[in-house]
Amino acid sequence: MPARYFEDFDPGHGRLEPRAVLDSDAPRIDLNGQWAFRFSSALRAEPDGFQDPEFEDGSWDALPVPSHWQLRGYGRPVYLNIAYPVPLDPPFVPQENETGDYRRVFDLPDSWQGVPVVVRFEGVDSCARVWLNGTELGVTYGSRLATEFDVTALLRPGRNLLAVRVHQFSAGTYLEDQDTWRLSGIFRDVALLARPAGGIRDAFVHADYDDATGEGRLRVDVDTDAPVRISVPAFGLHEQPADGEFRFPAVRPWSAEDPHLYEAHLATGSERVRVRFGFRTIAIDESGVLRVNGRRVLLRGVNRHEFDPDHGRALSPEAMRRDVELMKRHNINAVRTAHYPPHPAFLDLCDELGLYVTLECDLETHGFEYADATMWERNPSDDPRWRGAYLDRIERTVERDKNHPSIILWSLGNEAGDGQNLRAMADWTHRRDPSRPIHYEADRLGEYTDVHGQMYRPPAAVARIGRGQLLPGEIHYPACAGSGDPADDPRNRMPFLLTEFGHAMGNGPGALAEYAQLVDEYPRVQGGWVWEWMDQGLRTRDARGREFFGYGGDFGEDLHDGNFCCDGLVFPDGTPSPALLEYAKVIAPVRISTGREPGTLSIENRFEVLDLSHLRFTWSLAREGVELAAGTLPTPKATPGDRVELPLPAPALHAAAEDGDSGELWLTVQAEPDEPADWAPEGHVIAWGQLQLSAPGRDRSYAPLLGPHAADGFITLGPGRFDHATGSLLDLDGLPLQGPTLGLWRAPTDNDRGWSQRDATYWKDRGLDRLRHRTVSVTPDAEGLTVVVRSAAAAVPCGYLTTYRWTSDGTGVRLHVHTEPVGHWPERADTFADTMVDPGLPPEEHRELLRRNTSRSLARIGLDWQLPADWSQVAWFGAGPGEAYPDSRQAVRVGRFHTTVEQMQTPYVRPQENGNRADVRWAEVSDGSGAIHVRGEEFFHLSARRWTDRQLDVARHQTELTPGPLVHLHTDHAVQGVGSAACGPGVLPQHRLELGAADFTLDLTPFHRP
C-alpha cells in the first residue's frame, strides 16, 4: 500500500519556511470563530468533496475554533503518561482514527486584491491537510508548532472557502507522547495575513548587554528584499538604516525581576513591524555557573502544561495572564514550557511581567522506552528516517520564538531517549542561536547540551552533584556506576538544573526546603522546575449533576493513567494548593529571621538584581496569638545578596523583657511591594518571617487529684464519664466527646502510594486501616483510671498495646498515653535505588539516616475521637492557617486560628489525607453553646473531618465524600512526612515516622457557654 499523507516520516509538505511572530501593520483577517464541522469516529483518508466551495455543509455541526472536539461532545478525552494511544507500528496508525472536517467561509476585502497572503495556523493536533477553494495547500505535522501556507494565487474576490481535515493520530503522534490529555482539533488561532511586496518576512533581534560597562548592543537581521529602517524611540533613534550594530552606552537590562522592555520599529516602504525587546546576555562562566547579565541566576521554576479545565490546551488570553500573574505572586521566576512551545501570547506575558523561560520543542517519544526487549530499541531519536521531522520541529520552535528576551534556554524536548537526531537538533540550534544554552535532560553525559539537567534526584544526590563528584560515564538512569577522575567529567563543570523535581501530586511534595538549601551551598546547583504547574482535571459532572474534576478512567477509556495528570501546584480551577504556598515561602526573595546579635532581626536580600527599596516592611507582635502592637520597619538598604540586621521594634523589646510566663510572644515581619505591581494588588505579601521572643515554660503545678466513682455501669472521674467495660470516654461534663481509639493509619496520599518506597502497602499489609481494639483491663484506683487496650487487625500478628492513664483535678481530665508495638512487624520493602542519604555527612549521622531511611514506618501515632456533626467550629493556637506536615511546613506560622471542619479540608482532586494542623499547643472544638478544650503537654497535630479515613481512602472524587452524622477528630502525637514518591524520592529519613513507642499527654476541659 502506498504511503498515506498522515503516515509519513517526513514532516509534511507545502508549508512555508518558519518565521517569528511579528506585530505588523499589514492587514489581517481573524478566522477564529464558528466553523462548520463534521466528526467521524473512524478514519476518513480521502476527501469526499467537502473541500470544494460548492459542497453543501448545511447538515454539519458548528464547532468553535480554537477548541478540542473531545471537549465539545465528539469522541472522548484520553489521559496517558508514557503509553502511546496507538499500537507501536511507526509511522502507521490504526483505522480507529477520529477525523474532524472543518470548513470556514470568509470574504476577501477589495483592498486585499493583488496582495500576497498566507494563512497561519498556530496549532492543530495532530495532523492537518488543508485546502483553499478546493485546491490542496499541503499537510502539516507538529501539533503545537505554527504553520503557514501561501494562498496568494488561490484567493478570490469575495467568498472563499478554507477546508481542513484533522486526524487524531498520525505519524506525528509518535513524536508527541507527552504526559497530558490526548486532545484533537484546531486548538489555536487561525488567521489570514497579508504579506505585502517589499515587506518584512522575518526578523531576528540580537540585543546584548555588557554587565561590565552597562552598554547595550542592538543588531537586527531582517529577511526582506527592500531597504529597512529602524527606530528605537527610547534612544532617540529614528528611521536609521537597519543594516548595522547600534551601541547605547547605558541601558536598563531585562531580567525576570526587572523585565524592562524597549520598543523598536522596523519599516520598509510597504510594512512596519513593532518589536519589543530586552537587553540581556546569557553565559556560563568558567566555574560552570549560569549567569544572566553577569549575575548568577536561581531558577525558582515550574513546568507548565497549557491547561484549562473546560478548554484543554485552547487557552484564552485571560487564562494565560492568570497563570503568569499567579506565578509571580508566588515568587516563581522561571517556566519550562513542558513539553512544547506554548501559545505565543504566553511568551509575550513572560517578557512583559518577567519570567525566565526554557522553551521546549514539541518532542517526546517516551512510549518507546519499554516497548521492546531492549530499552529505546526503536526510538525515533536514533532512526535516520525521522531526522527531517526532528530538525523541522526544532527549527519551527526556535524561529517562532527567537525574539523573546524571556527565553534563556532552548530545550530539545522531553524523555525522547538519546540518538543522532537529537544531536543534529543541538548542532542546528547552536549554529542558529549561539546566544542561548541548550538543555535536554536525557543527554545523560552532557555531550551535546550546555546545562546538566536531571529529574527527581533526592537532595543527597544533588549535593554530590553540586560538589562535582560525578564519575566519568556515571549515570543515574539507567544506572551506570562510572569510573575515573571526576575532574575529567564535563558535567562537573556545567550548571546543574533539576529538570523536574518536587512532584506535586496530591498532598505534597515534601522536602522543598531541603532542595532550596542546596542552591545556597553549591553555586552550580541553580534550581529547577517543580512538576507541575496545574492539576489537569477536566471539569465534568456525575450522574446526579454534581460537578467534579475528571482524570484518567472517568471518560470510558480503554487505557489510561488515572489521576497521574493531577500533579500540580494549582488546582484545576486555578486555586493555589498548599504546595504552592509552601513553594512560595521556600523560594521567597527575602529571608527574615532572628539576628545574630540580641535584640535584632535579620533581613537577607535574595533578589538577584533588585535592592529592597521597592518593598515595605511591616511587623505585628502577638502574645498567645493575640495581637499587642503593629507597625512599620525602616526599609533596609540591602543590595542583592546582602544581609542586614535591624533592631527589634521597641514594643517587641519591652514585651520580651516582661514576665515570660504570660504566654508565647511572637514577632511577625512581612515584606510587601510599596506600591501595586502589574501582577499583584496592594498589600500582597512577598515574604514573611517569625521570631519567637519568649517561650514560657509549661505550668506543671496541679490541684489535688480526684478519685473515680463507679455507678450504674459507668465510671465517673471529675467531669469525665467512662464505659466501665471498655474504659472509653463517653462524655465530658455532658459534652459529647467520645473516644479515644488509637490511630496509626491515614488515607494514603498519592505519594504514600509510591511504587518504590511502598509505605501505603506496608501499612495496609499490617492492617493499620482496619484495626480492632480489645480492652485488656480497666483499673480504677485512688487517683485515677488506667485502661489498657490492644489494637491489631484480623489475621495480622502485630499490633500496638496502649495504656491510657486518666486523672482529674475536677475541672477537666488529663490523659497520659503510653503506646508501644507488639508482635512481629516485618521489614518494609524499599526498592528506591537512588542516594537518599548524603555520603558526605559525618559517619555517625550517615549511619543513623541510612537506618531510618529503610525503617518500618507508620502513617501517624495518635488518638481518634468522635463528636456530633454540629460540633464543627474549630480553633487552635499553633501553626496555621493551612495544613502542614513534617516536610512541608514552611508556609505556616504560629498564631491563633478559627475555622470550621469544612474549611479544614483540602480538596485534592483524588481525595486523600489532608488538613493536618501542626505544632498545636491547644485546640478547641465547639457547637457554639459548649466547647471542649484540648491542651497538649507536648505540641500535637490536629485534624477533623466529617468522614472516616477509610471513606476518604475509597473515594475517587470529592463528590463521593458524603458528610456523616459525626465529626472525626484526630489529635496525633506524630505524623509521617509526605515526600514525593509518586514520582521521585519518598519521605526523607529525617521526616520518616518510625515504628516505635510513644508517650504523650493531653488535658481535656469542658466549657458551657451561656
Side-chain angles (χ1 to χ4, degrees):
M1 178 183 293
R4 298 185 288 188
Y5 66 88
F6 50 86
E7 295 175 324
D8 196 340
F9 290 108
D10 291 331
H13 62 269
R15 288 185 287 103
L16 295 173
E17 290 296 312
R19 64 190 184 107
V21 178
L22 297 176
D23 181 5
S24 168
D25 67 353
R28 169 192 175 101
I29 297 176
D30 185 351
L31 297 180
N32 290 349
Q34 296 294 322
W35 290 46
F37 179 73
R38 177 178 64 183
F39 175 75
S40 303
S41 59
L43 175 67
R44 281 181 179 262
E46 295 303 324
D48 58 353
F50 87 97
Q51 74 276 21
D52 296 330
E54 295 76 21
F55 183 88
E56 177 54 52
D57 61 13
S59 63
W60 286 24
D61 298 330
L63 188 73
V65 169
S67 71
H68 297 286
W69 68 60
Q70 289 91 350
L71 302 183
R72 297 284 175 167
Y74 307 94
R76 59 191 176 195
V78 174
Y79 166 65
L80 290 167
N81 173 20
I82 298 174
Y84 279 102
V86 296
L88 260 68
D89 185 23
F92 306 108
V93 293
Q95 295 297 119
E96 295 83 3
N97 188 358
E98 294 178 1
T99 301
D101 290 330
Y102 294 78
R103 284 169 53 91
R104 176 68 154 85
V105 173
F106 62 91
D107 288 323
L108 189 72
D110 292 340
S111 60
W112 285 55
Q113 299 301 316
V115 178
V117 179
V118 301
V119 62
R120 183 179 179 95
F121 295 84
E122 292 293 347
V124 184
D125 192 321
S126 73
C127 170
R129 188 177 181 185
V130 185
W131 295 263
L132 181 65
N133 294 327
T135 299
E136 182 174 345
L137 300 176
V139 172
T140 180
Y141 300 116
S143 296
R144 296 92 173 182
L145 303 170
T147 295
E148 287 185 341
F149 296 104
D150 187 343
V151 296
T152 307
L154 298 175
L155 285 171
R156 302 171 180 173
R159 184 180 185 274
N160 288 263
L161 184 281
L162 183 64
V164 184
R165 170 158 287 177
V166 180
H167 298 295
Q168 181 182 29
F169 305 130
S170 67
T173 300
Y174 289 99
L175 305 185
E176 297 174 6
D177 191 34
Q178 290 97 338
D179 174 13
T180 187
W181 289 96
R182 312 306 166 103
L183 299 169
S184 313
I186 305 174
F187 71 97
R188 288 186 186 158
D189 308 292
V190 184
L192 209 65
L193 307 177
R195 306 301 313 126
I200 297 173
R201 199 198 78 82
D202 197 9
F204 192 173
V205 178
H206 308 270
D208 299 322
Y209 175 71
D210 188 325
D211 63 276
T213 66
E215 180 185 61
R217 298 184 295 273
L218 176 65
R219 176 173 57 87
V220 184
D221 299 330
V222 184
D223 184 356
T224 182
D225 55 7
V228 183
R229 302 177 307 281
I230 185 171
S231 300
V232 185
F235 298 115
L237 185 68
H238 298 291
E239 299 293 319
Q240 296 295 310
D243 53 0
E245 182 178 77
F246 301 90
R247 292 175 176 262
F248 308 105
V251 302
R252 183 174 166 185
W254 187 97
S255 68
E257 292 176 7
D258 183 23
H260 186 75
L261 294 172
Y262 292 92
E263 188 170 293
H265 297 270
L266 306 172
T268 68
S270 59
E271 185 177 15
R272 189 175 185 86
V273 168
R274 182 182 75 111
V275 179
R276 295 193 308 173
F277 69 94
F279 290 100
R280 58 106 183 88
T281 299
I282 307 140
I284 298 172
D285 68 16
E286 293 180 355
S287 60
V289 173
L290 177 68
R291 297 184 180 274
V292 175
N293 301 330
R295 297 178 183 267
R296 175 180 180 250
V297 294
L298 299 180
L299 301 186
R300 306 174 178 98
V302 292
N303 287 279
R304 175 186 178 265
H305 269 296
E306 291 186 300
F307 184 75
D308 178 276
D310 302 301
H311 306 292
R313 286 187 292 279
L315 267 62
S316 67
E318 295 77 17
M320 288 183 266
R321 178 169 280 274
R322 282 196 300 270
D323 274 0
V324 176
E325 290 180 350
L326 196 59
M327 290 176 190
K328 294 287 291 186
R329 287 200 292 272
H330 290 85
N331 299 324
I332 288 164
N333 74 348
V335 175
R336 174 175 172 238
T337 66
H339 302 291
Y340 41 81
H343 192 289
F346 177 79
L347 299 174
D348 290 337
L349 292 167
C350 294
D351 294 341
E352 174 190 334
L353 299 181
L355 289 174
Y356 291 125
V357 175
T358 296
L359 200 287
E360 193 148 275
C361 185
D362 189 6
L363 175 66
E364 181 168 339
T365 64
H366 203 175
F368 283 94
E369 182 174 14
Y370 299 108
D372 300 299
T374 302
M375 291 176 64
W376 300 107
E377 184 174 334
R378 290 185 289 154
N379 188 17
S381 295
D382 203 36
D383 185 337
R385 294 176 297 176
W386 293 97
R387 180 186 176 94
Y390 273 60
L391 288 172
D392 173 74
R393 285 171 182 261
I394 194 63
E395 290 171 14
R396 291 160 72 188
T397 296
V398 171
E399 297 295 354
R400 193 197 74 169
D401 297 328
K402 55 184 178 279
N403 292 326
H404 289 283
S406 56
I407 298 174
I408 64 169
L409 295 169
W410 298 116
S411 179
L412 302 181
N414 182 68
E415 294 176 323
D418 199 358
Q420 58 183 295
N421 296 332
L422 288 156
R423 294 166 189 262
M425 293 170 72
D427 289 344
W428 182 90
T429 306
H430 278 129
R431 292 193 305 270
R432 179 58 175 147
D433 181 22
S435 73
R436 293 176 174 101
I438 295 177
H439 163 275
Y440 176 60
E441 181 265 343
D443 177 20
R444 309 290 188 205
L445 298 177
E447 295 176 325
Y448 49 90
T449 51
D450 304 300
V451 297
H452 179 206
Q454 292 192 30
M455 295 183 181
Y456 304 111
R457 300 304 304 273
V462 175
R464 185 169 165 267
I465 293 170
R467 293 193 292 265
Q469 295 175 340
L470 287 173
L471 301 177
E474 173 188 352
I475 56 175
H476 161 62
Y477 184 80
C480 181
S483 62
D485 188 343
D488 295 332
D489 195 308
R491 295 171 299 171
N492 291 324
R493 299 182 296 278
M494 297 170 74
F496 177 76
L497 299 172
L498 282 154
T499 301
E500 295 175 15
F501 79 108
H503 192 261
M505 186 174 181
N507 188 341
L512 291 178
E514 281 79 1
Y515 283 107
Q517 183 179 349
L518 295 169
V519 303
D520 294 341
E521 296 182 23
Y522 305 107
R524 290 188 306 105
V525 177
Q526 295 186 248
W529 304 273
V530 166
W531 186 266
E532 65 173 306
W533 171 240
M534 180 178 283
D535 282 344
Q536 296 182 62
L538 290 171
R539 196 188 313 269
T540 187
R541 294 183 181 275
D542 63 16
R544 296 169 56 185
R546 298 175 300 180
E547 184 178 284
F548 67 95
F549 293 111
Y551 49 78
D554 286 329
F555 302 95
E557 314 97 302
D558 295 329
L559 185 67
H560 64 84
D561 283 317
N563 69 315
F564 205 69
C565 58
C566 295
D567 47 12
L569 295 169
V570 178
F571 293 133
D573 62 359
T575 303
S577 76
L580 182 57
L581 305 182
E582 178 82 356
Y583 195 34
K585 182 64 169 69
V586 165
I587 62 176
V590 179
R591 186 172 290 169
I592 302 165
S593 58
T594 302
R596 297 186 180 97
E597 299 296 325
T600 66
L601 62 90
S602 168
I603 296 180
E604 182 181 356
N605 181 0
R606 298 178 59 77
F607 285 104
E608 293 154 9
V609 175
L610 301 176
D611 61 25
L612 301 183
S613 60
H614 65 293
L615 298 179
R616 176 173 61 245
F617 289 81
T618 61
W619 60 268
S620 64
L621 183 69
R623 190 181 296 280
E624 288 292 302
V626 178
E627 186 174 274
L628 302 177
T632 302
L633 290 172
T635 298
K637 296 180 179 180
T639 58
D642 282 352
R643 173 175 172 153
V644 298
E645 296 198 356
L646 299 178
L648 294 175
L653 289 170
H654 296 326
E658 294 175 356
D659 181 9
D661 290 335
S662 56
E664 294 183 35
L665 187 67
W666 287 85
L667 178 70
T668 303
V669 178
Q670 297 186 156
E672 56 192 60
D674 61 0
E675 58 184 35
D678 292 339
W679 41 267
E682 186 173 359
H684 167 71
V685 176
I686 286 177
W688 60 270
Q690 276 195 309
L691 290 71
Q692 186 171 11
L693 304 183
S694 71
R698 297 274 173 157
D699 181 7
R700 297 187 178 273
S701 60
Y702 306 109
L705 298 179
L706 303 179
H709 299 279
D712 301 325
F714 303 106
I715 299 174
T716 302
L717 179 64
R721 188 168 65 100
F722 298 82
D723 184 287
H724 80 285
T726 65
S728 295
L729 178 67
L730 299 177
D731 60 66
L732 200 61
D733 198 21
L735 300 182
L737 177 67
Q738 296 188 10
T741 55
L742 183 70
L744 305 174
W745 183 75
R746 66 188 182 200
T749 68
D750 291 306
N751 290 307
D752 290 337
R753 297 170 184 260
W755 59 270
S756 55
Q757 286 82 10
R758 299 177 60 80
D759 281 300
T761 300
Y762 184 80
W763 303 335
K764 206 167 189 71
D765 288 348
R766 307 288 80 72
L768 302 188
D769 60 325
R770 50 186 177 87
L771 292 179
R772 296 293 181 263
H773 309 279
R774 176 176 62 85
T775 301
V776 176
S777 61
V778 178
T779 308
D781 58 40
E783 293 188 334
L785 175 68
T786 301
V787 181
V788 179
V789 178
R790 190 181 192 278
S791 302
V796 174
C798 57
Y800 258 73
L801 189 66
T802 306
T803 299
Y804 300 96
R805 175 62 180 172
W806 296 90
T807 58
S808 176
D809 62 0
T811 60
V813 292
R814 163 164 286 214
L815 170 61
H816 177 76
V817 178
H818 172 79
T819 188
E820 61 185 29
V822 293
H824 172 63
W825 289 75
E827 297 300 316
R828 178 179 59 87
D830 190 332
T831 59
F832 191 71
D834 206 351
T835 309
M836 290 292 285
V837 181
D838 186 353
L841 291 172
E844 185 174 340
E845 182 180 357
H846 183 257
R847 284 192 299 271
E848 171 61 12
L849 289 177
L850 279 178
R851 184 196 65 77
R852 292 195 63 174
N853 183 53
T854 56
S855 65
R856 298 165 293 182
S857 68
L858 298 173
R860 61 189 180 97
I861 300 177
L863 304 179
D864 299 344
W865 311 81
Q866 295 180 349
L867 295 122
D870 54 350
W871 284 69
S872 60
Q873 300 175 39
V874 184
W876 73 97
F877 177 51
E883 70 181 27
Y885 293 82
D887 55 355
S888 60
R889 49 167 298 114
Q890 304 304 311
V892 294
R893 62 187 73 186
V894 175
R896 185 177 297 201
F897 305 99
H898 182 273
T899 188
T900 65
V901 169
E902 287 78 10
Q903 292 169 336
M904 291 184 77
Q905 313 312 304
T906 302
Y908 294 111
V909 175
R910 187 191 72 78
Q912 57 197 271
E913 160 65 29
N914 72 91
N916 183 71
R917 268 55 178 184
D919 290 350
V920 177
R921 283 73 162 164
W922 58 257
E924 193 170 277
V925 186
S926 171
D927 70 345
S929 61
I932 296 172
H933 188 89
V934 182
R935 178 177 291 272
E937 189 167 284
E938 310 83 6
F939 294 169
F940 63 96
H941 298 264
L942 176 74
S943 60
R945 51 184 65 103
R946 294 192 178 278
W947 34 77
T948 67
D949 281 356
R950 294 186 71 176
Q951 290 169 326
L952 187 62
D953 180 39
V954 299
R956 294 187 72 250
H957 299 288
Q958 291 292 327
T959 51
E960 298 168 25
L961 291 170
T962 303
L966 298 173
V967 167
H968 300 272
L969 179 71
H970 303 302
T971 57
D972 291 328
H973 172 64
V975 300
Q976 174 150 294
V978 290
S980 190
C983 189
V987 179
L988 299 185
Q990 58 267 37
H991 302 305
R992 179 168 289 284
L993 178 56
E994 289 189 90
L995 176 76
D999 287 89
F1000 53 95
T1001 301
L1002 297 174
D1003 291 319
L1004 291 83
T1005 307
F1007 292 97
H1008 294 275
R1009 292 172 177 157

